[in-house]
Amino acid sequence: MGKADGVVPDGVTVSDDEFAAVAELDPALLKAVRRAAKAAARNGVTFYVNSGWRSPAYQNQLLREALAEYGSEKEAARWVATADTSPHVSGDAVDIGKSDAAAWLSEHGAEYGLCQIYRNEPWHFELRPDAADGGCPRMYADPTHDPRMQK
């Protein structure tokens, strides 16, 4: 797996279009993340991309690794989705690092339509355009509680 599959080395920011993990994100999501990153930068916070778009092959590799680490499909599913259900494969999710950036986005993300989706993944954000007006929807405990993962 490599850069073309969505693998990102340390230090990749939301502006680094030469990485598929960034360039292949849904354009509306990418625009919102970049707007938020610009605002966060005024507070000295940089948004790094720990993960963004992923190829199905890369997603499957991550799932195999999670199965090996957690020992069961049930436990692995709390952390890694299948290629068929992962919002990373469709370009609809971005994992933001470092912890200060994820915390900033958790606090201010709704202003940009960016919402934390899972309580167990404070780095995982998806676009919810209505959040700017009505706030983010209630978080799921983890992906196993997300109806989108039940395909």
Side-chain angles (χ1 to χ4, degrees), residues 32-135:
V33 170
R34 286 181 172 165
R35 284 183 50 240
K38 189 174 181 178
R42 290 191 290 271
N43 295 82
V45 176
T46 301
F47 284 13
Y48 294 97
V49 175
N50 290 341
S51 191
W53 171 86
R54 300 175 188 151
S55 71
Y58 183 32
Q59 187 68 33
N60 286 332
Q61 176 186 318
L62 292 173
L63 184 56
R64 285 191 302 274
E65 291 170 2
L67 285 166
E69 180 177 348
Y70 297 111
S72 74
E73 286 184 24
K74 183 178 180 180
E75 187 61 23
R78 294 187 61 234
W79 302 100
V80 181
T82 67
D84 292 335
T85 61
S86 174
H88 285 282
V89 173
S90 61
D92 294 321
V94 63
D95 293 348
I96 297 294
K98 302 179 176 172
S99 60
D100 64 333
W104 189 96
L105 197 52
S106 182
E107 185 176 341
H108 302 283
E111 299 168 38
Y112 304 91
L114 298 167
C115 296
Q116 183 184 341
I117 303 301
Y118 307 117
R119 274 195 298 277
N120 72 326
E121 295 185 9
W123 53 82
H124 180 99
F125 291 86
E126 297 180 24
L127 183 64
R128 298 292 185 268
D130 295 341
D133 295 325

